[in-house]
C-alpha cells in the first residue's frame, strides 16, 4: 500500500549549510522541534487515557501464536539484565559523548562493535555532520553585597564571555513573560536572571513550560540590552548541579552568553534579593567555544526479516549525550533498552519475520541532527517502516503506550494490548509524536508509538554531571526491556500494519 | 563545690607552634580527636538506651514551675522559625567560611552582629590562630584504557600535586587493612584508590569506620611509596559530589596529595577494573595550598544569669564550614538551633537564673581549634560550667538524649526527661562526649549532653558543595530548636547540678 502514503520532502528545513551561523541557527530550530516534540508528548499524556477493553473484546479470535511469542520474550527478558549491562558498558568504557567530540567518536566505535558482538546480521554507520561545542571553564560569583560562588554551567551552544568575564548587576524575573514587560532601559547592560521553578511530575509535563527560559532566554534578554542571561536550572532536584541543554540565538539579535545555575544557587540568589536593597553584582566567566564541523554517525544494527525483510520495525535511542555526566539516563538507558530488546527477540524466537532495525542516532541533544539526516538520506525507504519508536526518557518504568496508528486498525493489536495490560500498562492516545528522534516521521505517514515512562525523578539528573549509572535501577530498566521486546515482537512477527499514521 | 573538680592542664597537647609543619601535625591530631569523638558518640548510641521510667517514678514530687517553663518555651518555639531564619541569614549573607578565609571573617562579623541584634546582653570574641588552607583547582581523569573525567576534591590540608599533575597507574584497595598487606614494590610510584563504601545509618555509625581512609590514607599509602591517594568519598549519597574533610600527614612519612572522588566516580572507576585487565592510568592535578596563619574568632553571646550569673550553661555550635557548600547543615543548623534556643528562652521567660552562654566555635573542621583555644583560655572557669553541649549533626530530628552527668544525680531531671519523652525522645547512655567541640570537657569534669539527631541523610551532603539551605527542613530544625530550648531552660532555671562528669 505504499501509494497511499504521502512523504513530504524535508530537505528545506534540514539542509546543512556549513557555516557557523547557519549551524547555530539550524541547531536552534531543531532544538525547538525537540522541545516541541517533548512538550506535545507531555501534553497528550495529560489527557485521560482511552480504556478500550470493550472495543478490544469485540475483535474476535486472538492469534494464539503471537500471544505465546510475546510471553516467551517477556519470560526471557525477565531473566536478562542485558539492557543494564549495555548501559554499564557504555558509561564505563565511553562515558561523556557530546556530538562531535572524542567521546562521541569512541561511542560510535563502541556501538558498532557492540552490535557486531551481539550478532546483529547487518551493522552499518551513516555519517552525520555536526558542530562540536566545547564547554570549557565556567565560573560565577556574587561580588556584592554578599560574596559567594555560584555553580554555573554554560548552556549548549552559548558563546563565551570576554576573557575577564562579565561583571554587572543582576535583575531577577519570574519568567520570560515578566521579562518581556521590563523596559529596555532597566535591563540594558545588566545580567538577566530567569527564576522559573519546575514542578515534579510523572510525565515530565513541566519541562515544556520551563524550557523556553533555556532555549529563548538569551534572545529575549538580548533584545532588551542585557549583557548575559542566567536561568534557574530546568530541573526538579534540590542540588548544586546545574542542568545544561541546548539554547538558541537569533541572527537579528545580539548574541550574549547564557548559563544555568543550580536550583540551590538560584534559591540562594533569590534569597539575596530578600536580604538587601542594594544592587547585587554578579561576575560570570564562561569560556565555551565552537569547535567546528565534525563527522559523527548514526549507528544501525539489524536483524533482517525472514519473511518480509523490506518491512522495517524501527526502534531507536540516541547515542550522544551531554558532556558532564556519563549519559546513563540520557540516553544510555534507551540505547541499552532497544539493543537488548532486539537481541532478546532474536535469541528467543530466532530471526524476526520483518526486519528489526535498531538505530542509535547521532547528535540528538544539539537538535535531532542524526535523525534529520536519517530521514533525509532514507526518504525513499520511509514508506517501508511499519512502526518507529524511540526510548529517550531514562529508565523509569513504562505505564502507558501511546500510538500514532491508522485509526482504522489502531485497536487491532489486542494480543499486545492485553499482554501490556497484564503488566499494568494502559493504552493511551493515538496522537503521539513517538519521541524526539522519530517526531518528524508521522508527518510523513510513518506510524509511531511512545512507551511512556515514569519520569518522576528524571529531571533531577537530566543534563547534569549527576546523570550516571547509579541512577539506573536494574528492575526498572528490565521492565522497559521487556515491554520493548514484547511490542517489537508483535510488530515484527505479525501482519499488523498501522500505516499510514494520521496527520494531526 | 568547685574543689571537687579536677581540671587538667591541656596546654601540652594544644600548644600552637607557628610553623607549617607543626600546624599540620596539630590539625591532624585534633582531627583524630574529632573523629574519635564522633566515633565514640556513634558507638555509644548503638547501646540499648536506658529506659528508666521506673527510676523516675520514684523521684518524688515534681517541680511544677520548671515543668510549666519547659512547656512555655516549647510552645513559643513551635511558633517560631527563628533557627531556620538564622541559618538562612548565615548561608545567604556569608556562605562558605573555611577557617581563616575571607568568608570566615565575614562569618565572625555576621555572628557578632547577629548576637547583638538578638539582644544578647554580653557579646564578645576570642581570637583563635588558625592555618588557612585554600583548595584551588582540582581535576582528575582516567587516561587509558578508557578516557573519562572524574569528580575529585582535595582533602583538607592536602599538599598540591606538581603543576602538571601526577599520571600513574591506579591500584584499588578495599580499605586500609588490605592496603597494609600490599607489598611496597607493587605500590611504589602508583596511585592508591581506597574504595570503602559507607552504609546509611540513623546514628551515622559508619562514619567512624570509613573516615580513617580520609584521615590516614595519605600516610599509609606513602609508607608503601604511592605517589598520591584517592578515596571513595566518605558519604552515603549516590552522586557526583566529592566529600572533603580533614586529612593528616606524619612528619616521618613522605607527604603525598590526597583527594576524594564522588561515589558515582568511585563506582565508575571500580567498574573499569571489571572491564579491563590493562593498567588504568589516572591523571590527578590539584593545586591546594597552605595560605598561612590567620586570626579567626570564637564568637560568644550570653544572657547573664539573674540569680547565679557565675554558673554557666554552655550551648554551642561551630561557625566555620568547609569551603564548597554554604555550610547549612554543617554547621549552620547548629548555629541557628543554639542561638534561637537561647533567644526563645529569654523572650519567653525573661533573664535565666544561670548564665546561658552560646559559643560559636572557630575552626572546628580543621581540628577543633577554637574549642581547644576556649578550653585553654578559660581553664580556670571550666569548673563553673553546669553543662556543655554542641549541636553539630545537621537538622535531623532529635530522638535521644545522652548525658555525661554525675551518676548520683543523673536521673534527677525527671521534669525534663518527662517532657522529652512526650516528644518521643528517649534517655540514652551516660557516657557521651557531648559533640566534637565539647568532647575535651568531660575529662575535666564538665558535664555534657548530646541530643542525638536523625542522621539518616546527613552524610549525603556532609562536606560537599551540596550542603545548602534547601537541605534544612523547617519542621525538623524547629523540633531541634524546641528541644534545645527545653533542655537549656531546665539547666539554666533549676538548681540541678550534674557536676562532676564521670571520667570514663
Amino acid at each position: 500500500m505504499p501509494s497511499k502514503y504521502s512523504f513530504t520532502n524535508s530537505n528545506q528545513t534540514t539542509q546543512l549549510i556549513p557555516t557557523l551561523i547557519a549551524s547555530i541557527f539550524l541547531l536552534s530550530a531543531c532544538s525547538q522541534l525537540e522541545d516541541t516534540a517533548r512538550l506535545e508528548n507531555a501534553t497528550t499524556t495529560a489527557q485521560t487515557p482511552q480504556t478500550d477493553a470493550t472495543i478490544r473484546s469485540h475483535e474476535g479470535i486472538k492469534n494464539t501464536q503471537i500471544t505465546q511469542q510475546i510471553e516467551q520474550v517477556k519470560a526471557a527478558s525477565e531473566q536478562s539484565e542485558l539492557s543494564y549491562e549495555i548501559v554499564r558498558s557504555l558509561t564505563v568504557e565511553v562515558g561523556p559523548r557530546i556530538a562531535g567530540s572524542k567521546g562521541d567518536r569512541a561511542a560510535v566505535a563502541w556501538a558498532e562493535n557492540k552490535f557486531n558482538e551481539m550478532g546483529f546480521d547487518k551493522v552499518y554507520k551513516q555519517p552525520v555532520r555536526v558542530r562540536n561545542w566545547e564547554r570549557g571553564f565556567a565560573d560565577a560569583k556574587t561580588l556584592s553585597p554578599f560574596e559567594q560562588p555560584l555553580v554555573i554551567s554554560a548552556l549548549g551552544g552559548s558563546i563565551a564571555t570576554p576573557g575577564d568575564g562579565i561583571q554587572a548587576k543582576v535583575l531577577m524575573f519570574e519568567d520570560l513573560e515578566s521579562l518581556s514587560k521590563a523596559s529596555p532601559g532597566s535591563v540594558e547592560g545588566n545580567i538577566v536572571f530567569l527564576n522559573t521553578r519546575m514542578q515534579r511530575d510523572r510525565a515530565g509535563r513541566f519541562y515544556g513550560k520551563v524550557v523556553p527560559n533555556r532555549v529563548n532566554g538569551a534572545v529575549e534578554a538580548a533584545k532588551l540590552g542585557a549583557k548575559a542571561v542566567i536561568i534557574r536550572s530546568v530541573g526538579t532536584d534540590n542540588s548544586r548541579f546545574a542542568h545544561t541543554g541546548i539554547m538558541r540565538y537569533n541572527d537579528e539579535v545580539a548574541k550574549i552568553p547564557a548559563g544555568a545555575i543550580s536550583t540551590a544557587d538560584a534559591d540562594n540568589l533569590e534569597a539575596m534579593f530578600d536580604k538587601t536593597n542594594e544592587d547585587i553584582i554578579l561576575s560570570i566567566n564562561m569560556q565555551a567555544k565552537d569547535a567546528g564541523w565534525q563527522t559523527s554517525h548514526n549507528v544501525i544494527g539489524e536483524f533482517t526479516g525472514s519473511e518480509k525483510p523490506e518491512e522495517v520495525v524501527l526502534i531507536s535511542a540516541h547515542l550522544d549525550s551531554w558532556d558532564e555526566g556519563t549519559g546513563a539516563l540520557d540516553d544510555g538507558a534507551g540505547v541499552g533498552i532497544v539493543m537488548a530488546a532486539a537481541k532478546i527477540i532474536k535469541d528467543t524466537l530466532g530471526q524476526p519475520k520483518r526486519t528489526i532495525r535498531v538505530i542509535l542516532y547521532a547528535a540528538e541533544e544539539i537538535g535531532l541532527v542524526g535523525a534529520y539526516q536519517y530521514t533525509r538520506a532514507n526518504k525513499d525507504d520511509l514508506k517501508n517502516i511499519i512502526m518507529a519508536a524511540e526510548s529517550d526518557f531514562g529508565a523509569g518504568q513504562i505505564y502507558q503506550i501511546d500510538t500514532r496508528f491508522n485509526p482504522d486498525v489502531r485497536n487491532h493489536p489486542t494480543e499486545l494490548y492485553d499482554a501490556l495490560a497484564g503488566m499494568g500498562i494502559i493504552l493511551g492516545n493515538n496522537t503521539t509524536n513517538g519521541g524526539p528522534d522519530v517526531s518528524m516521521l508521522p508527518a510523513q505517514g510513518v506510524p509511531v508509538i511512545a512507551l511512556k515512562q515514569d519520569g518522576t525523578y528524571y529531571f533531577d539528573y537530566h543534563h547534569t554531571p549527576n546523570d550516571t549509572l547509579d541512577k539506573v535501577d536494574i528492575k526498572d530498566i528490565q521492565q522497559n526491556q521487556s515491554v520493548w521486546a514484547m511490542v517489537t515482537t508483535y510488530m515484527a512477527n505479525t501482519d499488523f500494519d498501522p500505516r499510514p499514521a494520521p496527520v494531526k
Side-chain angles (χ1 to χ4, degrees), chain A residues 35-108:
Chain A
D35 293 318
T36 304
R38 288 192 199 267
L39 177 55
E40 286 171 355
N41 284 338
T43 305
T44 51
T45 56
Q47 300 170 0
T48 307
Q50 183 180 351
T51 56
D52 53 359
T54 313
I55 297 168
R56 282 188 277 135
S57 70
H58 293 288
E59 291 296 324
I61 296 162
K62 292 185 181 179
N63 180 332
T64 309
Q65 191 187 6
I66 192 62
T67 296
Q68 283 175 348
Q69 288 190 350
I70 288 171
E71 288 304 315
Q72 279 175 277
V73 296
K74 177 170 184 274
S77 173
E78 287 170 353
Q79 297 302 314
S80 168
E81 295 182 350
L82 182 57
S83 53
Y84 182 83
E85 287 306 321
I86 293 169
V87 187
R88 187 166 186 258
S89 172
L90 177 58
T91 56
V92 171
E93 297 165 41
V94 178
R97 48 196 183 276
I98 192 170
S101 67
K102 192 173 173 187
D104 186 31
R105 289 191 286 282
V108 168

Side-chain angles (χ1 to χ4, degrees), chain A residues 138-142 149-155 170 172 191-196 214 229-235 237 239-244 258-273 282-284 286 464:
Chain A
D139 182 69
K141 58 189 170 214
T142 54
L150 305 180
V151 172
I152 193 168
S153 284
L155 296 180
V170 194
M172 180 170 67
I191 296 171
V192 162
F193 168 39
L194 295 168
N195 190 30
T196 317
R214 192 188 79 203
V229 64
I230 59 173
I231 64 167
R232 176 185 280 268
S233 279
V234 177
D237 54 310
S239 89
R240 294 194 86 187
F241 291 115
H243 296 240
T244 192
I261 60 173
S262 81
T263 57
D265 287 280
D267 287 351
N268 206 5
L269 185 53
E270 179 181 344
M272 288 184 189
F273 283 91
L282 182 68
S283 172
I284 303 177
M286 300 192 295
T464 72

Side-chain angles (χ1 to χ4, degrees), chain A residues 15-282:
Chain A
Q15 189 173 15
L16 290 176
I17 303 166
T19 70
L20 172 58
I21 292 167
S23 84
I24 289 177
F25 182 77
L26 175 64
L27 300 189
S28 306
C30 293
S31 77
Q32 282 196 298
L33 287 172
E34 170 197 16
D35 293 318
T36 304
R38 288 192 199 267
L39 177 55
E40 286 171 355
N41 284 338
T43 305
T44 51
T45 56
Q47 300 170 0
T48 307
Q50 183 180 351
T51 56
D52 53 359
T54 313
I55 297 168
R56 282 188 277 135
S57 70
H58 293 288
E59 291 296 324
I61 296 162
K62 292 185 181 179
N63 180 332
T64 309
Q65 191 187 6
I66 192 62
T67 296
Q68 283 175 348
Q69 288 190 350
I70 288 171
E71 288 304 315
Q72 279 175 277
V73 296
K74 177 170 184 274
S77 173
E78 287 170 353
Q79 297 302 314
S80 168
E81 295 182 350
L82 182 57
S83 53
Y84 182 83
E85 287 306 321
I86 293 169
V87 187
R88 187 166 186 258
S89 172
L90 177 58
T91 56
V92 171
E93 297 165 41
V94 178
R97 48 196 183 276
I98 192 170
S101 67
K102 192 173 173 187
D104 186 31
R105 289 191 286 282
V108 168
W110 171 92
E112 196 173 15
N113 185 54
K114 188 64 72 179
F115 274 129
N116 281 317
E117 261 182 24
M118 291 171 72
F120 283 74
D121 57 58
K122 196 172 168 196
V123 178
Y124 55 106
K125 296 186 297 186
Q126 184 172 56
V128 180
R129 292 288 282 169
V130 298
R131 290 300 294 202
N132 178 234
W133 175 84
E134 289 180 3
R135 173 171 309 283
F137 170 83
D139 182 69
K141 58 189 170 214
T142 54
L143 299 176
S144 72
F146 313 121
E147 188 174 334
Q148 287 212 33
L150 305 180
V151 172
I152 193 168
S153 284
L155 296 180
S158 173
I159 63 167
T161 63
D164 57 352
I166 291 171
Q167 291 80 38
K169 182 170 76 165
V170 194
L171 301 175
M172 180 170 67
F173 296 92
E174 171 63 28
D175 52 23
L176 286 174
E177 188 186 345
S178 62
L179 172 64
S180 72
K181 294 172 184 162
S183 67
S186 69
V187 174
E188 180 81 35
N190 295 320
I191 296 171
V192 162
F193 168 39
L194 295 168
N195 190 30
T196 317
R197 282 181 160 72
M198 181 176 174
Q199 313 284 309
R200 190 179 294 286
D201 179 74
R202 185 174 71 161
R205 286 175 300 173
F206 294 90
Y207 185 70
K209 294 183 182 175
V210 179
V211 83
N213 287 0
R214 192 188 79 203
V215 179
N216 304 321
V219 166
E220 297 307 317
K223 281 180 185 170
L224 299 170
K227 277 188 177 173
V229 64
I230 59 173
I231 64 167
R232 176 185 280 268
S233 279
V234 177
T236 48
D237 54 310
N238 290 329
S239 89
R240 294 194 86 187
F241 291 115
H243 296 240
T244 192
I246 200 74
M247 54 79 63
R248 73 174 173 87
Y249 291 115
N250 174 332
D251 285 340
E252 296 175 9
V253 176
K255 292 179 175 58
I256 60 173
I261 60 173
S262 81
T263 57
D265 287 280
D267 287 351
N268 206 5
L269 185 53
E270 179 181 344
M272 288 184 189
F273 283 91
D274 286 346
K275 291 286 183 190
T276 184
N277 292 320
E278 295 176 43
D279 288 351
I280 298 172
I281 307 301
L282 182 68

